[in-house]
Amino acid sequence: PRTANWNASSPSIQQKHWLIRQLAPIDDATEKLIDTTYEHRLEALLSVDDHIDKIVGLLEELGELENTIIMYTSDHGFQLGQHRLSVDKRHLYEHDIKVPFIVYSPSARSRISNEIVLNIDIAPTIYELATGSKNIPESMDGTSFASLFFDNRDDNGGNGIRQRIQPRQDFLISYHGEGYLPCGMAECPPDQHGGWMPDAWNNTYHCIRTIFREANSIYCRFEDDEDFVEYYDLNDDPWQLSNKNKELSVWEREALETRLAELRTCRGSTCR
C-alpha cells in the first residue's frame, strides 16, 4: 500500500533519528521487493484462514464452541516502504507497533472496542477466565479485559452495565536494538536503499504512547550519542511525518519524561 508516509520526503526523513536519516529514496529494485513481500504475506494468510476454519470446525464437532473463547493475535506490525523502510519492523512508528487482536466469545455480540489492550493483558485475562477471580496476581503487569467478552447485561439477564476494564491512558513501548560486529548494525555494510533489516545497537528507544481524551501522541527517547527524541501528535500528523519535539514546552517535556521514567521502572501491579 502506498500510504502517505511511503518513501517519505527528505525533509521528513531528516527530522528522524540517525538510522532513518541515512536511508536513500526507495529505488526500483527495492520497490519490487516491497511489492513481492506484500503479495507473499497476503498469500500466507490463506493458510491461517484454513487453520482457523479447522479449529472452529473441530470445536463445533465436539460441542465445545459455545464454551470456548478464542483469542486471535499475532506479532506486531510490519513496514512496507513507510519512511523508506522496506521490510521488517523494529521501529517506533504506528505501522510497526500495532498488533491485530480479535476475540471470539459465545456470549458477546460482534463489535469493535476502543479500549486500550496490550499483550501484557493476555495472561491476566486468561487467569480471570480460568479461575473466575478478579484478584490478578501482584506479579502481573497487565490487567484483565475479560469483561469485554460479554454482552452488557448483568448476571440476572437485566440491562445493568458490566464494569468496564480498568482504564488506561498511556503505555510503554521499548525496543533494544540489535547489531553485530564489525559495524554495530544488523547488516554490515548496510544497503542504503533500505533492502535490509534496518537495525543497530543504538536503535534502542523507550516511548510513551498516550491516548486519552483529546490527546493522541507518542514521545520517544533514544539511547544514542544524540539522546535523540521524536514526538508526534497523531491527531494532526497520523503518518508521523513531522517531528514536533522542538515545539514541546518545558513543562510538557518534563511531564512526558517523568511518566516515561515511571513506566520504565514499574513492576507488577504498580504498572496498572
Side-chain angles (χ1 to χ4, degrees):
R2 301 304 193 256
T3 55
N5 53 7
W6 196 89
N7 198 18
S9 67
S10 292
S12 174
I13 292 298
Q14 292 308 309
Q15 298 177 41
K16 302 187 183 301
H17 64 284
W18 74 273
L19 191 61
I20 305 297
R21 293 199 302 266
Q22 69 174 319
L23 296 176
I26 293 172
D27 60 12
D28 292 342
T30 303
E31 183 174 3
K32 183 177 180 179
L33 169 67
I34 291 169
D35 290 343
T36 301
T37 301
Y38 181 63
E39 290 171 4
H40 289 171
R41 287 169 63 83
L42 292 178
E43 291 167 357
L45 283 175
L46 294 174
S47 63
V48 176
D49 290 343
D50 291 339
H51 286 309
I52 293 173
D53 180 63
K54 290 177 180 178
I55 291 170
V56 172
L58 179 60
L59 288 169
E60 287 181 322
E61 182 181 330
L62 296 173
E64 294 294 341
L65 185 60
E66 296 306 303
N67 298 319
T68 303
I69 288 176
I70 300 173
M71 297 186 190
Y72 176 85
T73 186
S74 78
D75 196 356
H76 52 88
F78 207 80
Q79 61 221 9
L80 292 160
Q82 288 73 30
H83 305 294
R84 301 184 182 177
L85 294 161
S86 60
V87 294
D88 206 68
K89 45 196 104 176
R90 306 166 188 262
H91 298 281
L92 61 93
Y93 309 110
E94 289 289 284
H95 51 75
D96 279 13
I97 66 175
K98 284 188 173 181
V99 178
F101 196 77
I102 301 171
V103 176
Y104 165 79
S105 171
S107 59
R109 292 166 292 183
S110 177
R111 67 183 186 276
I112 296 175
S113 172
N114 292 321
E115 302 283 355
I116 300 175
V117 173
L118 308 180
N119 52 13
I120 59 173
D121 298 331
I122 295 175
T125 301
I126 294 174
Y127 177 89
E128 180 181 343
L129 292 170
T131 66
S133 173
K134 294 184 179 294
N135 296 319
I136 305 302
E138 291 292 311
S139 60
M140 291 185 174
D141 292 347
T143 61
S144 171
F145 53 89
S147 61
L148 296 179
F149 299 169
F150 305 96
D151 283 341
N152 292 330
R153 294 191 292 265
D154 61 29
D155 293 332
N156 296 319
N159 293 321
I161 302 299
R162 283 181 175 268
Q163 182 179 1
R164 296 177 65 192
I165 64 174
Q166 183 174 333
R168 179 185 275 126
Q169 65 184 38
D170 55 27
F171 53 91
L172 177 70
I173 300 165
S174 286
Y175 179 70
H176 296 268
E178 179 181 352
Y180 303 96
L181 293 173
C183 68
M185 304 183 75
E187 295 181 22
C188 300
D191 179 355
Q192 286 191 335
H193 289 284
W196 60 297
M197 182 178 67
D199 204 359
W201 282 330
N202 57 357
N203 182 39
T204 294
Y205 55 84
H206 308 281
C207 308
I208 176 171
R209 180 71 171 90
T210 304
I211 307 174
F212 180 65
R213 295 178 180 170
E214 300 302 318
N216 183 17
S217 66
I218 186 168
Y219 176 90
C220 299
R221 177 170 293 280
F222 283 80
E223 293 183 4
D224 59 15
D225 293 342
E226 300 175 316
D227 286 328
F228 200 80
V229 174
E230 294 189 33
Y231 173 81
Y232 302 96
D233 182 338
L234 279 82
N235 287 324
D236 297 330
D237 181 21
W239 300 107
Q240 296 168 287
L241 292 167
S242 181
N243 181 7
K244 298 295 186 181
N245 168 55
K246 294 182 179 179
E247 297 183 14
L248 290 170
S249 67
V250 172
W251 73 266
E252 286 174 325
R253 188 181 308 279
E254 288 180 350
L256 288 166
E257 288 284 354
T258 298
R259 181 57 178 155
L260 182 58
E262 292 173 351
L263 290 172
R264 289 188 62 188
T265 57
C266 70
R267 295 291 186 276
S269 60
T270 63
C271 296
R272 300 174 193 166

